[in-house]
Amino acid sequence: MGEKVVAGAFDLSDRQRYRDKLHKCLRGLERLLEEKRFDRPKNLMGLEIELNLAGADGMPRMLNGQVLERIASRDFQTELAMFNLEVNIAPHRLGGRVFDRLAEELRTSLAYAHRKAGEVDAGIVMIGILPTLERDDLVSSNLSDVDRYTLLNDQIVAARGEDFTLDIEGVEHLVCTARSITPEAACTSVQLHLQVTPGRFADVWNAAQAASAAQIAVGANSPFLFGRELWRESRPPLFQQSTDTRPPELQAQGVRPRTWFGERWISSAYDLFEENLRYFPALLPICDDEEPLDVLDAGGVPALSELVLHNGTVYRWNRPVYDVADGVPHLRVENRVLPAGPTVIDVVANAAFYYGLVRALAEESRPLWTRLPFETAAANFDAACRYGIDARFTWPRRGRYGGLAEVDAVSLVRDELLPLAEAGLDAWGVEPADRDLYLGVIEERCRRRVNGASWQVATFHRALEAGLPRAAALAATTRRYAELMRDGEPVHLWPVGLPEPVPTGSVRRGG
């Protein structure tokens, strides 16, 4: 999101100039679409994972600068706070043994990063929200030392004009305030990219929106924040509230939040970019020298920098992306729904489920979104975040009578969505061995009703029952999670609870 952003103040003329440039960019995008200038189908997917740094005690470590210096790879970058990193995997063509290759690359990259983090007594933890984070960890002094984060924080705080209120009522109730956007850094996500042609964009985005609830149900991994047990996937409410530029009065008026699910099915990628301009004031009104319409008139391809930057400050769960590679523009759907973790095989299984399901849903002769009201899709997403693997959804009935019915998420995924994902992966040309291995992980989570969130909660409660105080139980759960994450078995096979302590004075045999 704007690598070259430089901190500084903006005046009124900057905002007006930026708005003018945004509208020129939007017109440029419209012309590119009309002139069919976009890249041909390439079946390309990409993956980014946000990571946490924690010590052997399970507590966060504010050391991303030192760790990145040691990793010394462009695949790893800073994220919002000093306990965050992000790893980017190069684009892959969907097909063949793509998911096995992806898993191998991730294992290699994460093992290397973990070794390097170990040099400063830290380690990599791939989890939706680190359970040991405390309010004092999420303050502006712990923002990464990068201008664009400081500037983004300053602009969001100024737009809001008062402290942020976090109010999340789940199993327990969390209410607190924050003076910066740093609590957003608690949310560590997986972002799945899919390059699509303009003609297919709307169907793929609509399919991704409809699939989001099922993704969360099987993949939830963020049940704790600041010592409280909240939603099974607490990232969405936390992300929305910690970036909310709207004081309560604007919320009451129905002004849209910058983090949102959306409000309608679309018919073109243009719809989303146009909405972003219409609904959301600029946070970073930084203009470059390019005149996009002049570039188009000269037969060139504009970078549309202002549009890209503005788009990066509207946090849709499925976000449209405009980019230029090798002088050719392309569009991507960026799926931002999933939490990080628990293991590499779980992350890759989540990806296989998504790419297969989206392909199948996008190609149905009678699209799901013609039968599922958008408000119902949004309610399903909310239910999945609250209840995870135990969620219940409202979903179109199969068969000629149609209508909507309530169904539990596990039954829907196992009986209807996994067969669709299988057909979708076949359509991508993914080899059956890859398809069966990774979709089999999703099937087993459904069969056992286990995901990362359910394991964390069950293990935490076992620790409490064993007499550990709450903070110690969360730290012990985090340490055990990190240990099992590195062992690499998928989460549905993880034993619940903490390992039996070795009695004082006893000698362990075998090593």
Side-chain angles (χ1 to χ4, degrees), residues 207-230:
Q209 288 284 95
S212 294
Q215 286 182 273
I216 288 281
V218 296
N221 196 28
S222 315
F224 299 109
L225 178 66
F226 300 158
R228 297 278 202 288
E229 183 183 342
L230 301 173

Side-chain angles (χ1 to χ4, degrees), residues 314-429:
V314 179
Y315 305 103
R316 294 177 183 272
W317 294 109
N318 286 289
R319 184 152 68 184
V321 177
Y322 169 88
D323 204 354
V324 181
D326 302 321
V328 182
H330 68 260
L331 293 170
R332 300 196 300 271
V333 173
E334 180 191 12
N335 177 260
R336 303 158 48 79
V337 165
L338 289 163
T343 65
V344 167
I345 193 170
D346 286 305
V347 168
V348 176
N350 289 341
F353 180 54
Y354 169 74
Y355 287 116
L357 182 56
V358 161
R359 171 80 186 244
L361 289 176
E363 293 183 351
E364 282 191 315
S365 56
R366 192 178 167 216
L368 178 65
W369 48 96
T370 64
R371 300 173 282 137
L372 181 69
F374 193 91
E375 302 72 32
T376 305
N380 287 342
F381 179 74
D382 190 69
C385 293
R386 286 176 184 274
Y387 304 114
I389 201 96
D390 297 319
R392 294 186 67 79
F393 299 152
T394 302
W395 202 258
R397 278 195 191 91
R398 286 187 285 183
R400 58 181 172 174
Y401 296 111
L404 298 171
E406 192 175 278
V407 60
D408 67 285
V410 160
S411 298
L412 177 69
V413 171
R414 205 167 44 191
D415 299 343
E416 192 169 333
L417 302 186
L418 274 171
L420 282 171
E422 189 173 318
L425 293 180
D426 288 346
W428 287 121

Side-chain angles (χ1 to χ4, degrees), residues 459-477 479 498-499 501:
T459 296
F460 167 70
H461 284 287
R462 288 267 185 97
L464 289 181
E465 287 160 13
L468 284 181
R470 176 174 280 250
L474 285 167
T477 299
R479 292 194 298 271
L498 305 174

Side-chain angles (χ1 to χ4, degrees), residues 129-148:
I129 296 175
L130 196 65
T132 49
L133 282 170
E134 296 177 0
R135 286 180 60 190
D136 290 347
D137 297 317
L138 293 167
V139 292
S140 54
S141 57
N142 284 334
L143 281 171
S144 289
D145 188 19
V146 178
D147 278 344
R148 71 181 185 276

Side-chain angles (χ1 to χ4, degrees), residues 230-267:
L230 301 173
W231 294 12
R232 288 302 184 254
E233 189 50 55
S234 303
R235 286 168 38 259
L238 171 59
F239 204 116
Q240 178 173 321
Q241 293 177 21
S242 62
T243 59
D244 203 339
T245 54
R246 309 167 302 161
E249 296 82 3
L250 291 183
Q251 293 179 37
Q253 289 176 37
V255 172
R256 295 154 181 87
R258 292 192 89 96
T259 301
W260 71 327
F261 187 76
E263 61 190 15
R264 62 180 177 131
W265 304 117
I266 63 165
S267 56

Side-chain angles (χ1 to χ4, degrees), residues 25-26 28-33 37-39 193-196 198 201 269-270 273 276 290 292 295-296 300-309 311-312 319-325 327-334:
C25 285
L26 190 63
L29 176 68
E30 190 175 35
R31 276 183 54 181
L32 284 164
L33 290 166
R37 298 278 299 278
F38 283 87
D39 206 356
H193 290 256
L194 180 59
Q195 185 175 327
V196 291
F201 185 95
Y270 180 88
F273 289 101
N276 286 355
E290 178 187 79
V295 172
L296 275 168
V301 174
L304 306 183
S305 302
E306 292 83 4
L307 190 75
V308 169
L309 181 59
N311 192 55
R319 184 152 68 184
V321 177
Y322 169 88
D323 204 354
V324 181
V328 182
H330 68 260
L331 293 170
R332 300 196 300 271
V333 173
E334 180 191 12

